[in-house]
């Protein structure tokens, strides 16, 4: 029996940096990665998931993610998300998803007004997304962050609703960047789109540091697998 | 560029951007990083690591702006910053040093030379447009002393755009990877004038300056020729390859233009709307440029006076908490250390280690300099700069394979500076010979003078070492490990040390036994293959090194050391701390060149009678 490798797209915008890292991590966890250029307007039909990687798309000019949200590829990303496909936005990918309105809130400059690269502990707050389905709320994961603008905020009423609906998926164990309610990652209402500032793709190899990213990316690979199996593609 | 075996090669170089950073620290430092990245990309190598050497008067706003600049560029282009050095010294208060090093990897067979290779080939300029920014960057800034009118020089500072820089790297690596270009050259100092003359030296180039994409109107031909607008690269392309080259550049949405062609005249000739505006035999600008003999006048250093240190514990606490020696985490956390997924050992101790994935081999990289010692003896400073860089790499499990150097000196027209320069170079050469390791690239920064006062002679050295297996890189000492001290035959001294700077006055004549120092480097590299930790004792001496090792490993130690200030805080003579499981200690591993003795055992949560928590508090300070 041949191993089934779900196909996951990693989108490269000009200025994406962690696209290669995302590919390496997903391949390590059993996925087949399809590199997708920002100018693409159609995605392959047999895609099980999408990753918007970290970096500085379009130089982060204007505002982080503000130009990428109107990139040609984003139409196909929206359609895939609307169809229930799993979409993971990491760091700059999270910023893009917020700018695109696929996720709630915005990301401002860190409280320290400095870029910050460090291993941090995040707490799983919800198992209601495919990415965290195999985790238990309260579980702690150590994953590095590296960003200058990861200070998530939204208005208090929406924030309360998000908490109520389990859309706050990950929290920092301690305040690291001024993020409202220590939010490290949020999902859409359906749970199939997740954005987070920590870099799970940089936490999969014990040789390079902590491995808290493994369960989150495994969740994506499993969801991609399921989607393809459901569609009868695999 | 050095062969790493297994079909892989490494390219690395360090460069200065001192004067621009003195005038405008953010853009000065940022464009320093951008420039060295393009240098490495022009060799056809993919940049995999950045390191930076920063020397400032104090950790003030000017310094912080430079750190911002380094991070701004490096973080944005996706190349991890994995180390370097940060020195605070009054001597650099008005003439800071910003040295940036880049390491790149490439297949061994892909060696691109920055030379035009056949008449008829096309000269293609791509990247950003050309403007009036940075005109005279090399001449107004780099080759003149600083003074009261520095603010007027701001227009001469180049402005960096890392987003374009990132795309420029991607285009350049792809062009070389696919074999579409004959050669590449970065447009750095002196702009097209410099890059074209280097490429034209063997053949000749006709350049049509009016064809250069310009970002402002009414530029004069000479301005186009020497503009230092950033993020530009020149490629030599065979006419039949032009279409493919243009397609790659267009995909990344960069400006491009065919601005000239290679000739067989040996002349670099510039035209403007068909009219000749300049012509010179290219060799006169490169190999046959005028050479100057520099007058040299030795000076005698002040003799050593007594250094009286406080009691050991107090001295250690003070040293660890001093701006000179305290933890650099408050700076390195502002840099992306992880992108590209190679960083096996992050910055903080001796050298960082990057995996040559998918192989298990790796490279250890460091950047380290000398200055205070250079005031006493520039030759010795040159030697120690090389030795320390080599020791750092060896401690991380690497075998040093090559050096790159940045010589930061004062105005060489002063005979004393001329002498310093010659002495430092000679010292570096001697140390390289003792190690059997070459210097493969480098850069010189002169005229580091403000209001007539020169900086101390500051040779800064980068080193790359080959790590046989990254899974064995020492990670930290463990409970119960034996702690050994390996020492060269060179004497310990306070001359030029942190202790002397703090509690005495600068003076003395230290010395080095190069044969013994070479043996110590080889021992460190060998023992690191099975040790839990190897750490070089540098600034602050043995006590500071032990504290750094304990904090890095989060474990204290029981030590059996004489309570003697020179033993604890003396410097210059090479010393390396080694931690090994007790059963692995060999009786006499090295013979006469290196003395190895056991000085203690890992355990407990204190060091030299000070609780680790207290040491951490001194070392890390407030967050």
């Amino acid at each position: 029996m041949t191993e089934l490798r779900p196909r996951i797209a990693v989108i490269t915008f000009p200025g994406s940096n962690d696209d290669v890292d995302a590919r390496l991590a997903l391949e390590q966890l059993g996925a087949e990665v399809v590199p997708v250029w920002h100018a693409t307007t159609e995605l392959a039909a047999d895609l099980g998931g999408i990753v918007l990687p970290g970096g500085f798309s379009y130089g982060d000019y204007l505002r982080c993610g503000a130009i990428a949200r109107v990139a040609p590829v984003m139409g196909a990303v929206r359609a895939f998300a609307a169809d229930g496909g799993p979409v993971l936005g990491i760091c700059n990918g999270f910023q893009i998803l917020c700018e695109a309105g696929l996720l709630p809130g915005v990301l401002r400059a860190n409280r320290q007004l400095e870029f910050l690269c460090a291993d941090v502990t995040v707490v799983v707050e919800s198992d209601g997304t495919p990415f965290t389905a195999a985790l238990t709320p309260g579980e702690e994961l150590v994953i590095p962050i590296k960003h200058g603008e990861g200070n998530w905020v939204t208005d208090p009423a929406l924030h309360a609703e998000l908490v109520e609906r389990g859309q706050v998926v990950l929290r920092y164990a301690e305040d690291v960047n001024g993020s409202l309610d220590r939010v490290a990652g949020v999902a859409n209402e359906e749970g199939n789109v997740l954005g987070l500032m920590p870099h799970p793709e940089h936490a999969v190899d014990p040789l390079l540091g902590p491995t808290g990213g493994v369960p989150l990316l495994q969740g994506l690979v499993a969801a991609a697998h399921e989607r393809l199996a459901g569609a009868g593609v695999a | 560029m050095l062969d790493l075996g297994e079909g892989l090669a490494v390219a690395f170089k360090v460069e200065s951007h001192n004067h621009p950073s003195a005038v405008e620290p953010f853009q000065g430092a940022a464009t320093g990083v951008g420039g060295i990245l393009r240098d490495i990309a022009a060799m056809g190598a993919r940049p995999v690591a950045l390191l930076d050497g920063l020397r400032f008067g104090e950790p003030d706003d000017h310094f912080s702006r430079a750190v911002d600049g380094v991070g701004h560029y490096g973080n944005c282009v996706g190349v991890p910053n994995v180390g370097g050095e940060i020195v605070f010294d009054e001597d650099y208060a008005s003439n800071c040093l910003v040295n940036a090093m880049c390491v790149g990897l490439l297949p061994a067979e892909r060696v691109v030379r920055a030379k035009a290779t056949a008449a008829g080939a096309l000269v293609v300029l791509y990247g950003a447009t050309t403007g009036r920014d940075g005109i005279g960057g090399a001449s107004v800034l780099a080759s003149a002393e600083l003074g009261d009118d520095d603010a007027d020089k701001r227009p001469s500072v180049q402005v960096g755009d890392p987003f374009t820089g990132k795309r420029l790297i991607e285009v350049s690596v792809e062009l070389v990877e696919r074999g579409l270009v004959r050669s590449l050259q970065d447009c750095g100092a002196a702009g097209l004038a410099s890059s074209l003359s280097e490429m034209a030296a063997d053949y000749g180039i006709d350049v049509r300056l009016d064809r250069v994409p310009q970002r402002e109107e009414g530029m004069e031909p000479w301005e186009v020729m020497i503009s230092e607008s950033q993020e530009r690269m020149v490629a030599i392309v065979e006419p039949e390859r032009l279409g493919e080259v243009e397609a790659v550049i267009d995909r990344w949405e960069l400006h491009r233009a065919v601005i000239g062609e290679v000739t067989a005249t040996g002349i670099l000739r510039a035209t403007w709307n068909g009219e000749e505006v300049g012509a010179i035999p290219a060799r006169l600008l490169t190999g046959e440029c005028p050479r100057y003999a520099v007058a040299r006048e030795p000076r005698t250093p002040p003799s050593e006076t007594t250094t009286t240190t406080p009691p050991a514990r107090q001295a250690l606490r003070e040293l660890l908490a001093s701006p000179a020696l305290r933890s650099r985490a408050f700076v390195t956390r502002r840099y992306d250390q992880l992108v590209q997924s190679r960083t096996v050992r992050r910055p903080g101790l001796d050298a960082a280690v990057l995996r040559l994935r998918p192989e298990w081999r790796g490279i250890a990289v460091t950047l380290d300099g000398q200055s205070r010692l250079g005031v006493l003896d520039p030759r010795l400073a040159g030697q120690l700069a090389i030795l320390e860089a080599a020791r750092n790499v060896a401690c991380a499990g690497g075998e040093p394979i090559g050096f790159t150097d940045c010589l930061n000196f004062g105005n060489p027209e002063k005979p004393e500076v001329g002498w310093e320069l010659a002495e430092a170079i000679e010292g570096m050469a001697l140390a390289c010979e003792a190690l059997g390791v070459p210097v493969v690239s480098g850069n010189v920064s002169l005229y580091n003078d403000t209001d007539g006062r020169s900086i101390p002679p500051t040779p800064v050295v980068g080193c790359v070492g080959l790590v046989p297996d990254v899974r064995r890189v020492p990670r930290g000492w463990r409970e119960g490990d034996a702690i050994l001290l390996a020492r060269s035959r060179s004497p310990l001294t306070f001359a030029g040390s942190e202790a002397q700077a703090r509690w005495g006055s600068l003076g003395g004549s230290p010395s080095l036994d190069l044969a013994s120092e070479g043996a110590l480097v080889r021992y460190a590299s060998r023992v690191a293959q099975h040790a839990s930790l190897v750490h070089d004792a540098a600034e602050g001496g043995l006590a500071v090194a032990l504290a750094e090792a304990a904090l890095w490993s989060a474990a204290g130690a029981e030590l059996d050391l004489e309570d003697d200030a020179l033993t604890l805080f003396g410097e210059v003579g090479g010393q390396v701390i080694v931690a090994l499981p007790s059963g692995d200690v060999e009786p006499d591993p090295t013979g006469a060149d290196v003395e190895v003795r056991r000085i203690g055992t890992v355990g407990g949560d204190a060091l030299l009678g000070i609780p680790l928590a207290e040491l951490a508090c001194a070392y890390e300070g407030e967050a």
Side-chain angles (χ1 to χ4, degrees):
Chain A
M1 193 180 127
T2 52
E3 195 194 351
L4 295 173
R5 292 166 65 84
R7 285 156 65 86
I8 296 177
V10 173
I11 296 177
T12 299
F13 300 93
S16 294
N17 289 333
D18 300 282
D19 46 346
V20 173
D21 309 83
R23 175 173 63 74
L24 291 170
L26 288 168
E27 285 175 353
Q28 180 190 321
L29 297 174
E32 181 191 334
V33 169
V34 185
V36 173
W37 184 240
H38 71 121
T40 309
T41 51
E42 275 177 49
L43 298 172
D46 60 346
L47 219 49
I50 296 178
V51 172
L52 275 62
F56 291 72
S57 56
Y58 307 95
D60 273 357
Y61 290 137
L62 196 56
R63 207 167 55 236
C64 304
I67 301 177
R69 84 182 169 90
V70 294
V73 75
M74 286 305 289
V77 173
R78 277 174 200 281
F80 185 81
D83 189 42
V87 177
L88 181 65
I90 303 167
C91 197
N92 193 227
F94 184 14
Q95 294 162 340
I96 295 168
L97 291 173
C98 288
E99 285 288 339
L102 287 166
L103 289 175
V106 293
L107 293 144
R108 300 176 303 177
N110 293 348
R111 165 175 56 80
Q112 301 88 336
L113 302 181
E114 280 177 5
F115 188 94
L116 199 55
C117 176
D119 290 339
V120 299
T121 302
V122 294
V123 184
V124 177
E125 297 293 341
S126 163
D127 55 4
T129 78
F131 313 93
T132 52
L135 292 161
T136 314
E139 232 174 291
E140 294 193 341
L141 307 170
V142 179
I143 305 177
I145 55 165
K146 47 189 193 79
H147 59 246
E149 307 191 25
N151 181 351
W152 182 86
V153 71
T154 189
D155 65 84
L158 180 58
H159 170 243
E161 279 176 42
L162 296 176
V163 173
E164 178 67 28
R165 289 198 294 259
Q167 285 178 249
V168 170
V169 179
L170 299 166
R171 274 203 183 93
Y172 300 110
E174 292 169 10
D175 173 39
V176 297
N177 57 14
S179 210
L180 175 69
D181 194 26
R182 291 184 279 108
V183 167
V186 294
N188 62 350
E189 203 169 339
E190 295 74 23
N192 65 311
V193 180
L194 174 69
L196 76 170
M197 288 314 295
H199 284 266
E201 82 283 18
H202 283 288
V204 296
D205 181 354
L207 199 56
L208 303 181
T211 53
V214 171
L216 295 172
L217 294 179
Q218 268 172 347
L220 168 62
V221 174
H225 209 280
E226 217 170 279
R227 179 176 169 84
L228 297 181
V233 179
Chain B
M1 208 175 304
L2 289 167
D3 195 342
L4 291 171
E6 316 275 333
L8 203 59
V10 61
F12 55 97
K13 190 179 177 197
V14 59
E15 256 188 15
S16 61
H17 227 219
N18 301 336
H19 282 183
S21 305
V23 174
E24 211 291 89
F26 181 90
Q27 290 296 348
T31 52
V33 171
I36 195 67
L37 280 165
R38 286 196 301 279
D39 258 355
I40 296 301
M43 294 186 221
R46 174 167 287 281
V48 297
L50 287 164
L51 299 94
D52 59 308
L54 305 177
R55 287 169 181 260
F56 283 75
E58 52 182 325
D60 56 5
D61 186 54
H62 195 88
F63 168 72
S64 190
R65 294 275 299 149
V67 170
D68 270 346
V70 171
H72 172 66
Y73 211 105
N75 295 342
C76 196
V77 296
V79 179
N81 187 311
V82 297
E85 59 158 12
I86 295 157
V87 174
F88 299 114
D89 190 318
E90 190 50 33
D91 287 331
Y92 302 106
S94 49
N95 192 132
C96 62
L97 301 187
V98 172
N99 293 177
M101 170 172 165
C102 181
V103 183
L105 295 175
L106 69 164
E109 81 275 359
R110 186 204 306 165
V111 174
V112 173
R113 290 173 65 242
K115 292 267 170 64
T117 39
L122 302 172
V123 181
V124 177
L125 174 68
Y126 62 94
T129 50
T130 299
R132 287 196 176 93
D133 52 316
I135 285 183
S139 50
V140 176
L141 287 172
S143 307
E145 299 187 5
L146 293 170
D148 290 336
D149 57 344
D150 291 348
D152 302 342
K153 293 173 183 163
R154 260 184 218 134
S156 300
V157 177
Q158 310 84 346
V159 177
D161 172 8
F163 175 51
T164 303
K166 159 94 177 164
R167 290 180 290 157
L168 199 70
I169 292 170
E170 296 295 342
V171 167
S172 304
V173 172
E174 184 175 339
L175 289 179
V176 177
E177 227 160 48
R178 292 175 49 193
L180 299 178
V181 291
R182 297 298 285 267
S183 71
L184 287 180
Q185 180 80 40
D186 162 38
C187 274
L192 283 173
S194 164
S195 53
L196 292 180
S197 58
E198 285 181 44
M199 298 179 111
D202 291 342
Y203 292 84
I205 284 180
D206 278 0
V207 57
R208 300 174 205 185
L209 292 173
D210 51 289
R211 292 210 181 165
V212 172
Q214 291 155 41
R215 72 177 66 144
E216 54 193 304
E217 291 187 359
M219 284 184 76
E220 297 287 324
W222 67 270
E223 292 178 315
V224 174
M225 194 67 167
I226 66 163
S227 160
E228 293 184 19
S229 287
Q230 296 289 291
E231 287 87 31
R232 297 177 304 154
M233 198 83 94
V234 178
I236 301 295
V237 181
E238 297 300 333
E240 61 270 24
R241 289 289 201 183
L242 183 63
E244 287 166 278
V245 168
E246 289 179 338
V248 174
I249 299 169
D250 290 348
R251 181 165 183 265
W252 288 94
E253 298 173 17
L254 292 173
H255 296 275
R256 60 170 167 78
V258 176
I259 60 165
E261 60 179 47
V262 177
T263 62
T265 59
I267 290 178
L268 174 58
R269 184 168 158 270
T271 58
W272 185 262
N273 295 326
E275 200 177 311
E276 182 173 301
V277 289
I280 186 170
R283 280 169 184 276
L284 293 183
L285 297 171
T286 57
E288 290 167 19
C289 62
R291 284 159 193 261
Y292 303 94
V294 180
R296 304 176 203 177
E297 189 180 300
R299 83 181 121 72
T300 322
S303 51
E304 190 168 354
T305 53
T306 315
T307 296
T308 312
T309 60
R313 287 180 201 176
Q314 187 191 335
L316 177 56
R317 269 188 297 248
E318 276 188 37
L319 284 172
L320 278 182
S322 68
L325 299 183
R326 64 163 294 202
S327 162
R328 271 35 181 145
F330 76 106
V331 170
T332 55
R333 72 181 176 215
R334 289 160 70 179
Y335 304 144
D336 185 340
Q337 308 161 13
L338 308 176
V339 65
Q340 297 195 20
S341 297
R342 301 176 187 278
T343 316
V344 172
R345 193 201 243 203
R346 300 182 193 180
L349 204 68
D350 301 314
V353 177
L354 304 163
R355 181 180 169 189
L356 299 170
R357 61 175 162 73
E359 295 182 53
W360 291 114
R361 295 190 307 158
I363 49 173
V365 294
T366 189
L367 183 68
D368 212 337
Q370 289 293 328
S371 55
R372 209 181 291 124
L373 210 57
V375 177
L376 300 181
D377 182 346
R379 176 178 295 222
L380 201 81
Q383 292 174 352
L384 201 59
I386 289 283
L387 291 172
E388 267 197 24
R391 275 204 301 269
N392 283 339
V393 155
C395 288
E399 183 198 333
I401 56 171
F403 298 104
T404 178
D405 67 310
C406 190
L407 300 171
N408 305 276
F409 284 72
N411 179 348
E413 294 160 36
K414 296 177 183 172
E416 198 173 272
V417 175
W419 171 77
E420 287 172 347
L421 188 56
E423 284 291 293
I425 292 168
E426 180 64 18
M428 291 172 56
L430 290 170
C432 286
E433 267 170 44
L435 293 168
V437 178
V439 175
V440 298
S441 59
N443 160 263
V444 178
S445 168
L446 302 173
Y447 297 93
N448 289 290
D449 290 52
T450 306
D451 300 327
R453 188 162 152 255
S454 304
I455 60 160
T458 313
V460 173
V461 171
C463 182
V464 171
L466 188 59
V467 178
D469 187 337
V470 293
R471 291 168 292 188
R472 293 205 303 261
V473 166
R475 299 219 157 220
W477 68 25
R478 290 173 299 231
E479 192 83 15
D481 283 355
I483 303 173
L484 313 181
L485 177 64
R487 286 202 46 195
S488 73
R489 285 195 303 256
S490 316
L492 288 175
T493 172
F494 284 132
S497 69
E498 281 302 323
Q500 189 183 56
R502 225 176 152 72
W503 299 297
S505 63
L506 186 61
S509 316
S511 66
L512 284 166
D513 178 330
L514 288 181
S516 172
E517 294 293 344
L520 180 63
V521 169
R522 287 187 287 274
Y523 167 73
S525 164
R526 209 165 55 235
V527 76
Q529 305 308 318
H530 59 274
S532 56
L533 190 70
V534 184
H535 178 39
D536 169 42
E539 292 81 9
L542 179 59
V544 167
L546 285 164
E548 288 166 346
L551 291 170
W552 172 268
S553 314
E558 300 290 335
L559 296 167
D560 181 18
L561 283 171
E562 309 89 271
D563 185 8
D564 161 58
L566 198 60
T567 304
L568 293 174
F569 305 109
E571 296 181 25
V572 179
Q575 304 187 92
V576 167
I577 301 163
V578 179
L580 286 169
S582 291
D584 292 359
V585 179
E586 299 166 41
D588 179 18
T590 53
D593 275 333
V594 179
E595 177 206 50
V596 183
R597 68 187 170 104
R598 181 162 179 169
I599 58 167
T601 306
V602 177
D605 50 10
L607 187 102
L608 297 168
I610 310 174
L612 277 193
E614 201 179 310
L615 287 177
C617 195
Y619 189 59
E620 301 290 344
E622 301 112 294

